[in-house]
Amino acid sequence: MTNEIEPFRAIAISRLAHALKAEGRSVIHMEFGQPSTGAPPAAIEQAHRVLDADSMGYWESAPLKDRIVRLYQDRYSVAISPDRLLLTCGASPALVLALSSRFSPGDRIAMARPGYVAYRNTVKALRMIPVEIACGPEEHYQLTARALAVLDPAPAGVIIASPANPTGSVIALDEISAIVEVCRTRNIAIISDEIYHGLSYVGPQPTMLSCEPDVMVINSFSKYWSMAGWRLGWLLVPPDHVERARAYIGNLFLTPPSLSQHAGLVAMDQHDVLESHIEVYRTNRALMLEALPGLGLKSIAPPDGAFYIWADIGHLTDDSVGFCEALLRDTGVATAPGVDFDPVDGARFMRFSFAVSTPEIEEALRRMGPWFASRVRG
Ligand SMILES: Cc1ncc(COP(=O)(O)O)c(C=O)c1O
């Protein structure tokens, strides 16, 4: 078995975008799923205050854990014990922790294709085997109970993400219950990546915990709380897995930055600021959905949540990396090539992140209009 993993190609696009900016070019960053808004101002003020007062040692903030417990109560009406929470440096280490502490090398882990690039690559890096299930428009770009029921042999685990990256699609409630049922019957352990919760345009999304108490849940301050660079998130594990997961986090990661924990606690109470971000995304989403068909992009995934649009560009190219690079060089609009998210069909897809300001979306659309028109194949 090989632990070769592919690069995250949007990072190369981003590097080029920053190089162009350094040359004085005007660049619009739509390549990463990264809010351009920064942390809520009150969280930043708190960070300034505690820098002078706290020795910033290794720390697991009990108040932050209690506040996360309250989030589960308020957002989902689910009661959890803070003992089940492990604070991490974002969702990425939470994923490593969940996979490494729960599964063994050689285990098969199912996931949707297209899906977040790090799922398959983290699984590979840990010497497990990604089992990618093609999910197109018929499946609403999401895993289904049916697909999991017929996988032979049954995988040891499955990673579910709703809303998903790169599509923004969500799984309907009855399908979530059906997935849980199949996983129970077939003994498939679930990792639910709920990083895009709070960012939904089709109503609140339930946590998988409300259907299945034994699920492992990942979340992070990188998206809804707009604190990607603060590196803060959590993993919620079943009660009988707490000791094992603690042994793993203690050896692999220790604690997230104290500064971020202080700031994150304050951010969790900044409802008005955070909701105002969603209003911007809602406007951006509407602008994109209105304009993209005019660019010839008529086949796009339903962006039910998150801040992405996954678009079929197969009528224009079969090299999404070259296409996104040319778009960036010619117009200054940075986007993500589909190959990051789909190693099979991704050369014919691209992803736009609309987590930027509305004037930036308007400008990006202005620049892309003539460019896309000029690319139409003869
Ligand atoms: C679905 C998904 N999970 C996890 C992550 C990693 O997030 P974090 O910044 O919390 O490590 C991302 C980042 O884009 C993501 O899209």
Side-chain angles (χ1 to χ4, degrees):
M1 198 189 313
T2 159
N3 64 338
E4 272 307 308
I5 64 173
E6 307 106 64
F8 192 169
R9 291 179 185 83
I11 294 176
I13 292 281
S14 196
R15 234 187 340 255
L16 175 60
H18 285 284
L20 293 175
K21 206 169 192 167
E23 288 169 12
R25 291 278 305 279
S26 153
V27 170
I28 301 173
H29 288 281
M30 298 171 73
E31 73 276 32
F32 283 152
Q34 163 156 281
S36 59
T37 33
I44 296 173
E45 283 161 27
Q46 174 69 349
H48 281 294
R49 262 194 303 273
V50 295
L51 255 184
D52 290 329
D54 190 310
S55 59
M56 301 293 162
Y58 297 123
W59 185 47
E60 269 189 289
S61 165
L64 179 59
K65 285 188 174 185
D66 289 343
R67 183 64 187 82
I68 294 171
V69 166
R70 186 146 67 78
L71 175 82
Y72 279 87
Q73 192 62 55
D74 296 348
R75 198 186 252 181
Y76 310 110
S77 302
V78 170
I80 53 160
S81 157
D83 300 338
R84 295 174 59 187
L85 280 170
L86 292 106
L87 299 175
T88 61
C89 295
S92 309
L95 179 65
V96 173
L97 197 56
L99 288 166
S100 60
S101 68
R102 178 67 183 74
F103 303 104
S104 304
D107 276 353
R108 298 165 74 250
I109 311 294
M111 61 196 70
R113 175 173 65 75
Y116 178 48
V117 58
Y119 295 156
R120 73 170 185 276
N121 286 328
T122 307
V123 163
K124 279 192 201 169
L126 293 170
R127 312 287 210 274
M128 296 163 196
I129 303 165
V131 179
E132 295 188 294
I133 301 176
C135 299
E138 299 76 32
E139 295 85 22
H140 201 67
Y141 295 90
Q142 279 285 6
L143 287 177
T144 60
R146 203 176 160 278
L148 290 169
V150 299
L151 258 195
D152 186 24
V158 60
I159 304 174
I160 308 263
S162 172
N165 180 3
T167 58
S169 62
V170 306
I171 307 179
L173 233 188
D174 54 350
E175 191 63 38
I176 289 188
S177 309
I179 288 173
V180 164
E181 203 43 55
V182 168
C183 289
R184 242 183 235 148
T185 312
R186 305 198 76 197
N187 201 21
I188 304 170
I190 300 174
I191 296 177
S192 180
D193 183 350
E194 302 186 351
I195 190 170
Y196 293 106
H197 278 212
L199 299 174
S200 164
Y201 314 102
V202 293
Q205 297 308 302
T207 172
M208 273 261 174
L209 269 183
S210 35
C211 306
E212 174 54 77
D214 273 351
V215 72
M216 286 198 259
V217 175
I218 290 171
N219 211 325
S220 162
F221 282 75
S222 294
K223 312 294 175 179
Y224 175 74
W225 288 282
S226 190
M227 294 175 67
W230 295 74
R231 308 311 299 138
L232 184 62
W234 68 87
L235 175 68
L236 209 159
V237 299
D240 64 0
H241 193 67
V242 171
E243 281 319 309
R244 190 175 166 83
R246 288 214 164 285
Y248 273 73
I249 196 171
N251 283 286
L252 294 182
F253 301 115
L254 294 171
T255 60
S258 300
L259 188 64
S260 305
Q261 297 183 61
H262 283 293
L265 176 61
V266 172
M268 290 189 81
D269 286 326
Q270 304 310 306
H271 183 261
D272 291 352
V273 175
L274 298 166
E275 291 301 307
S276 74
H277 296 168
I278 299 173
E279 285 318 304
V280 172
Y281 303 152
R282 200 186 296 284
T283 305
N284 294 353
R285 172 181 179 273
L287 284 171
M288 297 279 289
L289 288 180
E290 195 186 316
L292 291 184
L295 266 54
L297 305 184
K298 297 192 173 108
S299 174
I300 57 180
D304 302 325
F307 30 57
Y308 302 119
I309 290 186
W310 177 247
D312 188 338
I313 48 171
H315 57 298
L316 300 174
T317 187
D318 44 24
D319 169 20
S320 58
V321 174
F323 188 87
C324 290
E325 192 181 319
L327 174 64
L328 172 58
R329 285 189 190 280
D330 294 346
T331 69
V333 178
T335 54
V339 282
D340 273 340
F341 310 95
D342 183 340
V344 179
D345 296 320
R348 296 187 298 105
F349 286 83
M350 67 187 294
R351 188 197 71 178
F352 299 92
S353 164
F354 53 82
V356 292
S357 70
T358 300
E360 283 178 301
I361 289 289
E362 288 165 340
E363 176 59 19
L365 289 170
R366 247 191 313 274
R367 294 182 194 178
M368 288 193 295
W371 191 85
F372 270 83
S374 74
R375 304 291 289 203
V376 175
R377 286 170 167 174

